[in-house]
Amino acid sequence: MGINERIKSAAAFEQAQKVIPGGVNSPVRALKSVGTTPLFVREAKGAYFTDIDDNRIIDFCMSWGVFILGHNNAKVSQAAVDAVNRGSSYGIPTLAETTLAEKVREAIPSMERLRFVNSGTEATMSAIRVARGYTGRDILVKFEGNYHGHADHLLVSAGSGVANISNASSAGVPTDFVKHTAVLPYNDVEALRNYFAENGDNVAALILEPVACNMGVVVPTEEFLKTAREVTEKCGAILIFDEVITGFRLSRGGAQQRFGITPDMTTVGKIVGGGFPAAAFGGRADIMKVLAPEGPVYQAGTLSGNPVAMAAGIETLTQLSRPGFYEELEVKSDAFIAKLEKIIEGKGIQLNRCGSMFTMFFNDKSVRNFQDTKRSNQERFARYFRNMLSRGIYVSPSQFEGNFISETHTPEILDYVLKSIAESID
């Protein structure tokens, strides 16, 4: 399955650069780190998208994990269309907001109260503000390679798109904005215990990706997650699980259900909006009471709880509650991963996987933290990406990202992908 020359996409990119910085509205889309230029998408359905050069391409990025049901699910799209026909935004409450909030809480019981926002960045930023307001403390603890959005105080040793930036954070972030953010190595239990033993009484919150997805997929050790819960509980700090990616992906109840660890607060995004801009933050009722208008912590948004996103989210979570959905996705992913492990054996590639998410690290050694991921051969990954694209497959375009299997990736599609991987790695 070859693809046409991307003449129209190249022209579109040239035009976009005249009005949009770098020609894209999120940096990784520029494909600079993989040595090529962006595709411009015309439409998508199921496991495929079609670009403006009429290339029909298998998608393993799936809008960075959003489309667990596949692109353009008929019922989700119809729910959104019906909502648009009633009105796209009101700035006034609708019943849909309560309905989706109830569905989220049913799936993730630790989110006793929650509020909708428009992006994962908003959700994590707001959750941290609530945690600081509740505890009366300032210090935030995060982990190297965990990306929690682009709020100033969070761009410290983040993964994902900023992993290729030469400094640890971003230009434009004053030092004073990050002085209350402490960074620890992921999966390092000793460092976690030592920091909290010395500083725990001053920590407002510990935020982490319960499965790291923004330095590639990195699975936590059981002891690491248990220790995070233990040290925060002991000193009265708020444990925040950033499940923007893992929520509704690793199970209906996210990573916290899969690993049996209950945080104080949770952020969810991507899947919860069914393909529309939506995210949420929530947690224990006593913590969320500090949020205005009940309490003194302010947060607001004109389009928060947008009725179109709420309608798409309701239909998405309804479909995900079907008995056997996650079991079937797990079986499909197991079969794919088992075959992939045989293909890459002895080829200097590490395969990290959790549920329907995986990353192939072009690395000779196991990957358990951000320093491990940074030792990966990015030039080799870039060649792999381009080789896969030439075969009509779009994998997530960064060594520091995950790939996602959806309900619509059929055995036939997955077999073709496996064959293409075998031909694409060098």
Side-chain angles (χ1 to χ4, degrees), residues 100-172:
L100 184 54
E102 289 172 342
K103 284 185 174 293
V104 172
R105 185 175 65 177
E106 181 186 357
I108 307 176
S110 68
M111 297 179 77
E112 294 175 352
R113 300 286 186 276
L114 61 130
R115 179 168 286 180
F116 289 107
V117 289
N118 299 291
S119 69
T121 291
E122 280 187 76
T124 55
M125 177 181 71
S126 302
I128 291 163
R129 184 179 299 163
V130 166
R132 283 175 164 156
Y134 178 81
T135 61
R137 304 172 183 175
D138 293 331
I139 294 178
L140 170 72
V141 180
K142 71 177 292 288
F143 293 97
E144 285 184 314
N146 279 200
Y147 176 75
H148 304 293
H150 61 268
D152 285 347
H153 57 286
L154 290 168
L155 280 178
V156 186
S157 193
S160 194
V162 297
N164 291 311
I165 294 176
S166 57
N167 53 16
S169 179
S170 167

Side-chain angles (χ1 to χ4, degrees), residues 404-419:
F404 303 91
I405 299 171
S406 77
E407 181 183 39
T408 57
H409 285 94
T410 64
E412 292 75 22
I413 290 173
L414 294 176
D415 283 345
Y416 175 74
V417 170
L418 289 164
K419 176 177 179 290

Side-chain angles (χ1 to χ4, degrees), residues 36 54 97 100 110 146 162 178 192 220 225 272 274 293 300 311 374 381 390 422:
T36 187
D54 295 321
E97 295 166 61
L100 184 54
S110 68
N146 279 200
V162 297
V178 297
L192 180 55
L225 289 185
V272 78
K374 291 199 293 185
F381 173 82
S390 72

Side-chain angles (χ1 to χ4, degrees), residues 69-344:
L69 298 174
H71 287 287
N72 199 8
N73 177 274
K75 290 183 178 180
V76 174
S77 295
Q78 189 59 56
V81 168
D82 291 344
V84 168
N85 287 335
R86 292 189 294 268
S88 60
S89 179
Y90 313 114
I92 300 170
T94 67
L95 293 175
E97 295 166 61
T98 305
T99 299
L100 184 54
E102 289 172 342
K103 284 185 174 293
V104 172
R105 185 175 65 177
E106 181 186 357
I108 307 176
S110 68
M111 297 179 77
E112 294 175 352
R113 300 286 186 276
L114 61 130
R115 179 168 286 180
F116 289 107
V117 289
N118 299 291
S119 69
T121 291
E122 280 187 76
T124 55
M125 177 181 71
S126 302
I128 291 163
R129 184 179 299 163
V130 166
R132 283 175 164 156
Y134 178 81
T135 61
R137 304 172 183 175
D138 293 331
I139 294 178
L140 170 72
V141 180
K142 71 177 292 288
F143 293 97
E144 285 184 314
N146 279 200
Y147 176 75
H148 304 293
H150 61 268
D152 285 347
H153 57 286
L154 290 168
L155 280 178
V156 186
S157 193
S160 194
V162 297
N164 291 311
I165 294 176
S166 57
N167 53 16
S169 179
S170 167
V173 178
T175 302
D176 282 353
F177 281 25
V178 297
K179 69 181 180 182
H180 295 303
T181 303
V183 183
L184 302 177
Y186 194 79
N187 264 332
D188 190 329
V189 171
E190 184 179 2
L192 180 55
R193 287 193 188 279
N194 289 343
Y195 183 85
F196 272 81
E198 295 178 15
N199 306 283
D201 291 342
N202 297 313
V203 174
L206 169 65
I207 187 169
L208 74 155
E209 294 182 89
V211 176
C213 304
N214 287 286
M215 52 178 163
V217 173
V218 178
V219 182
T221 65
E222 184 178 352
E223 186 183 8
F224 177 65
L225 289 185
K226 285 183 176 179
T227 302
R229 177 66 284 181
E230 181 185 304
V231 296
T232 49
E233 209 162 48
K234 184 176 180 179
C235 71
I238 304 302
L239 176 61
I240 305 172
F241 273 12
D242 179 349
E243 298 225 43
V244 167
I245 293 177
T246 58
F248 311 105
R249 163 61 64 175
L250 297 182
S251 71
R252 186 163 171 253
Q256 57 196 266
Q257 177 185 327
R258 191 178 183 105
F259 293 102
I261 303 289
T262 303
D264 301 303
M265 297 188 73
T266 301
T267 62
V268 293
K270 299 190 186 293
I271 290 173
V272 78
F276 289 83
F281 65 100
R284 294 195 333 244
D286 63 311
I287 297 173
M288 293 299 287
K289 277 185 178 180
V290 305
L291 195 59
E294 281 190 84
V297 175
Y298 190 74
Q299 179 275 330
T302 299
L303 293 173
S304 296
N306 175 268
V308 181
M310 297 297 98
I314 290 167
E315 177 57 36
T316 297
L317 296 200
T318 297
Q319 291 191 46
L320 294 181
S321 66
R322 173 175 60 80
F325 177 87
Y326 286 98
E327 290 79 4
E328 291 168 15
L329 187 61
E330 194 84 7
V331 167
K332 180 194 296 187
S333 301
D334 285 345
F336 174 83
I337 293 296
K339 293 175 183 176
L340 179 54
E341 285 175 336
K342 293 180 180 178
I343 290 171
I344 65 173

